[in-house]
C-alpha cells in the first residue's frame, strides 16, 4: 500500500464524524487532495443534528453539550468560536438530590462552593488548582498519555486528585451529600465503575472545565460544528461522498494515506490479510464498555423542575445522591437495568430557540445500560425525570427512543451502544488502542486510525483525527509543520 498514488486523491478518510472531518480538514489545509467516505446519508456521526421527533424539533443525534469545545487544541487552532455561535449557560450542570433540592455547578467555582454549605471551602480547595490549570490539563489529556506532560504541575495536581476521588476514601473530605453527588454526576459520564481512577480523572477534568469556561451549547445544534468543518473542507478542495460504506480496504481507491474513523473491530474487518498478526491480536484485545439508551423529547413547554434553579442548567444529572448513583451504575455493569437509573439530561432549547418551534422545547437524554441491551428505557427515563419534575409527562408531545442496539445500528462506532468507542479505563487511556507514542499510525503502510478508539479518547474534540492527520503528513508527505487551520487562512 506504500505505492498507492493517484493524480486525483492524496488522502482518503473513512467516516465523517468529528474526528474524520478533523483529519480531512487538516490534510486539505496542507494542500492535499482529500476525499471522505461516509456510510450515512449525512456527515457528523455522533455530532449530527436531526429532526427525530416532530417537524421543526431539532435534536442532537449524539453529543448535545460540548465541555471540550473550548478546550480542544484542534478547535482552538480551527477557530471554532469564530465560526459557530455558542451560548454558555451560567449553570454548567446541576445535580438534584431530592425533589426541590439540588447541587449547582456554576461557571464560578467560588459561587458553587458558597452554595455547598460546610463542604464549600473543601470543594473549592479540591477544584481551584484544576480550574487554574485547565490549559495544562487540556494539553495533558489532548494526546497520547505516554508523552511527557508540558505542565508537570497540572499533571501532578490532576493525578493526586484522581487518585483520591477514585479510591474508597473519596468521601473523607466531605461531610454533606451535595458536593460528592456533584462530582459523581460528572464522573458518571464515563460509564465506568464508581469509584475508579479513570472515572474520577475524567469527572474532575469535566468539572474544572465547567468552572473555567463552562459547558457551551452551539446555536443550531451540534450539527453547526459539523457544518463549519464541512464548509472548510470543501473550501479547500475536499469532498464528501455520502451513502458510501467502505467494506474492504482493498476496494478503496488508491491514495498515499488512508485515515480511518472506525473502531479497532471494524479495522480488523476492513484490513483482512493486510493486517499483521500481532497487531490484529492487539486490536482484538481492545475492549468496549457499557452502552447507552437514548431518549429524545419534543415538549410543549419547559421541564417543570421542582427546583427552579435547574431551568438555568444546560445539563442536569439525575440519579440522586452519590450512593444512589453508585448503586445504579453497579447494577448496569452487572447486566441489569436499574429502576432508578442515572440519567444525563440536556435542555439546549432553554438557551437556543432555533431548536424548536416558538414556545416549544426539545429535551435530550440518555441512560446507561448493559452493552448490547435491546431494552427500551423510555419509561425508566420519564419516571426519573418525573421524580424531580412532577408533571413532566404532561409536557411531552412526542418521543424518540433508541436502545443500545439501535445506537450501534445508527453509528457502527458505538459498539453495543458504547458511545466512547471503547471503554475509557485507565489501561485503555494509555493503550488506546496500543501502547505507542504515535498510536494513530498502524503497521499497514499509509493507513492510520483516526477515531475515538485512539488517543485521546471519547468526546467531540476532533483531536484523534487531528493527531492522525499530522502523523500522516509527517510520515507520508514529509510535512512536519502543522497547517494553519484558522478561519482567516487563505483558501487555495
Amino acid at each position: 500500500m506504500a505505492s498507492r498514488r493517484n493524480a486525483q486523491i492524496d488522502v482518503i478518510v473513512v467516516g465523517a464524524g468529528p474526528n474524520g472531518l478533523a483529519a480531512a480538514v487538516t490534510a486539505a489545509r496542507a494542500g492535499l487532495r482529500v476525499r471522505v467516505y461516509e456510510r450515512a446519508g449525512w456527515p457528523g456521526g455522533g455530532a449530527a443534528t436531526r429532526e427525530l421527533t416532530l417537524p421543526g424539533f431539532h435534536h442532537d443525534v449524539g453529543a448535545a453539550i460540548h465541555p471540550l469545545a473550548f478546550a480542544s487544541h484542534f478547535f482552538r487552532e480551527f477557530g471554532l468560536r469564530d465560526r459557530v455561535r455558542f451560548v454558555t449557560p451560567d449553570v454548567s450542570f446541576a445535580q438534584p438530590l431530592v425533589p426541590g433540592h439540588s447541587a449547582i455547578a456554576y461557571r464560578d467555582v467560588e459561587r458553587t462552593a458558597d452554595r455547598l454549605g460546610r463542604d464549600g471551602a473543601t470543594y473549592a480547595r479540591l477544584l481551584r488548582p484544576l480550574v487554574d490549570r485547565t490549559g495544562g490539563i487540556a494539553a495533558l489529556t489532548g494526546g497520547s498519555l505516554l508523552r511527557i506532560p508540558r505542565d508537570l504541575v497540572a499533571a501532578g495536581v490532576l493525578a493526586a486528585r484522581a487518585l483520591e476521588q477514585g479510591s474508597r476514601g473519596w468521601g473523607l473530605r466531605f461531610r454533606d451529600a451535595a458536593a460528592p453527588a456533584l462530582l459523581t454526576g460528572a464522573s458518571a459520564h464515563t460509564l465506568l465503575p464508581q469509584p475508579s481512577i479513570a472515572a474520577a480523572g475524567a469527572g474532575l477534568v469535566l468539572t474544572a472545565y465547567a468552572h473555567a469556561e463552562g459547558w457551551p451549547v452551539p446555536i443550531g445544534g451540534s450539527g453547526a460544528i459539523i457544518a463549519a468543518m464541512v464548509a472548510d473542507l470543501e473550501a479547500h478542495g475536499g469532498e464528501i461522498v455520502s451513502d458510501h460504506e467502505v467494506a474492504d480496504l482493498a476496494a478503496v481507491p488508491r491514495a498515499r494515506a488512508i485515515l480511518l474513523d472506525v473502531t479497532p473491530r471494524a479495522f480488523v474487518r476492513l484490513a483482512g490479510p493486510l493486517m499483521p498478526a500481532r497487531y490484529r491480536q492487539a486490536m482484538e484485545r481492545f475492549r468496549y464498555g457499557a452502552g447507552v439508551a437514548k431518549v429524545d423529547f419534543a415538549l410543549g413547554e419547559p421541564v417543570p423542575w421542582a427546583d427552579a434553579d435547574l431551568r438555568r442548567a444546560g445539563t442536569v444529572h439525575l440519579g440522586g445522591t452519590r450512593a444512589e448513583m453508585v448503586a445504579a451504575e453497579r447494577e448496569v455493569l452487572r447486566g441489569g437495568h436499574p429502576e432508578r437509573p442515572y440519567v444525563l439530561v440536556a435542555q439546549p432549547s432553554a438557551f437556543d430557540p432555533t431548536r424548536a418551534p416558538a414556545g416549544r422545547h426539545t429535551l435530550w437524554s440518555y441512560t446507561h445500560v448493559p452493552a448490547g441491551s435491546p431494552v427500551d428505557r423510555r419509561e425508566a427515563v420519564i419516571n426519573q425525570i418525573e421524580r424531580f419534575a412532577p408533571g413532566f409527562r404532561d409536557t411531552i408531545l412526542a418521543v424518540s427512543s433508541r436502545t443500545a442496539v439501535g445506537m450501534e445500528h445508527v453509528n457502527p462506532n458505538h459498539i453495543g451502544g458504547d458511545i466512547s468507542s471503547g471503554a475509557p479505563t485507565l489501561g485503555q487511556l494509555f493503550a488506546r488502542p496500543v501502547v505507542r507514542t504515535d498510536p494513530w499510525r498502524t503497521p499497514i503502510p499509509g493507513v492510520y486510525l483516526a477515531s475515538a478508539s485512539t488517543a485521546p479518547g471519547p468526546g467531540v474534540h476532533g483531536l484523534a483525527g487531528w493527531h492522525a492527520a499530522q502523523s500522516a503528513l509527517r510520515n507520508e508527505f514529509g510535512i512536519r509543520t502543522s497547517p494553519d487551520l484558522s478561519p482567516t487562512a487563505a483558501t487555495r
Side-chain angles (χ1 to χ4, degrees), residues 348-362:
S349 61
F351 309 93
D352 174 11
T354 71
R355 304 295 184 95
R360 308 299 192 183
H361 287 272
T362 61

Side-chain angles (χ1 to χ4, degrees), residues 303-487:
V303 179
W305 298 110
D307 183 346
D309 284 344
L310 299 184
R311 299 172 189 173
R312 298 187 289 124
T315 300
V316 182
H317 300 141
L318 301 181
T321 65
R322 169 176 274 181
E324 288 180 279
M325 287 183 284
V326 167
E329 294 295 272
R330 286 179 178 170
E331 185 172 346
V332 169
L333 295 174
R334 289 194 298 264
H337 296 80
E339 181 180 353
R340 284 189 167 182
Y342 169 84
V343 178
L344 198 157
V345 171
Q347 39 190 11
S349 61
F351 309 93
D352 174 11
T354 71
R355 304 295 184 95
R360 308 299 192 183
H361 287 272
T362 61
L363 194 72
W364 176 107
S365 73
Y366 76 58
T367 187
H368 298 159
V369 294
S373 169
V375 178
D376 187 327
R377 295 291 277 164
R378 77 180 71 195
E379 280 302 312
V381 168
I382 290 172
N383 289 339
Q384 189 70 315
I385 298 174
E386 182 91 13
R387 174 186 172 192
F388 299 102
F392 169 70
R393 191 181 295 271
D394 296 334
T395 72
I396 299 172
L397 301 176
V399 180
S400 170
S401 184
R402 188 167 291 153
T403 68
V405 171
M407 295 291 288
E408 182 177 355
H409 178 74
V410 171
N411 188 339
N413 278 5
H414 297 163
I415 293 176
D418 175 9
I419 58 174
S420 296
S421 297
T425 60
L426 193 60
Q428 286 199 165
L429 290 177
F430 285 94
R432 197 166 183 93
V434 290
V435 182
R436 291 183 180 176
T437 55
D438 186 352
W440 308 280
R441 189 181 187 186
T442 81
I444 304 176
V447 176
Y448 296 78
L449 269 180
S451 73
S453 298
T454 61
V460 179
H461 45 58
L463 288 165
W466 184 57
H467 287 304
Q470 290 185 97
S471 180
L473 292 179
R474 289 192 305 270
N475 295 302
E476 310 303 326
F477 301 93
I479 300 173
R480 300 193 173 279
T481 301
S482 184
D484 185 351
L485 303 177
S486 65

Side-chain angles (χ1 to χ4, degrees), residues 20 103 119 131-132 169 180 237 270 299 340 355 386 392 469:
D119 279 336
V131 174
D132 290 342
L270 290 173
L299 304 180
R340 284 189 167 182
R355 304 295 184 95
E386 182 91 13
F392 169 70

Side-chain angles (χ1 to χ4, degrees), residues 154-235:
V157 169
L158 178 59
R161 280 154 173 73
L163 284 169
E164 175 202 317
Q165 288 301 304
S167 74
R168 293 184 181 277
W170 62 343
L172 293 179
R173 69 164 68 214
F174 299 115
R175 293 179 289 176
D176 292 330
L182 203 61
L183 293 169
T184 302
S187 64
H189 281 233
T190 61
L191 290 81
L192 292 173
Q194 304 284 344
S196 66
I197 295 172
L204 288 166
V205 170
L206 289 174
T207 304
Y209 291 159
H211 295 317
E213 294 196 77
W215 288 5
V217 179
I219 300 298
S222 299
I225 297 174
I226 298 303
M229 298 171 76
V230 170
D232 192 86
L233 172 64
E234 293 177 344

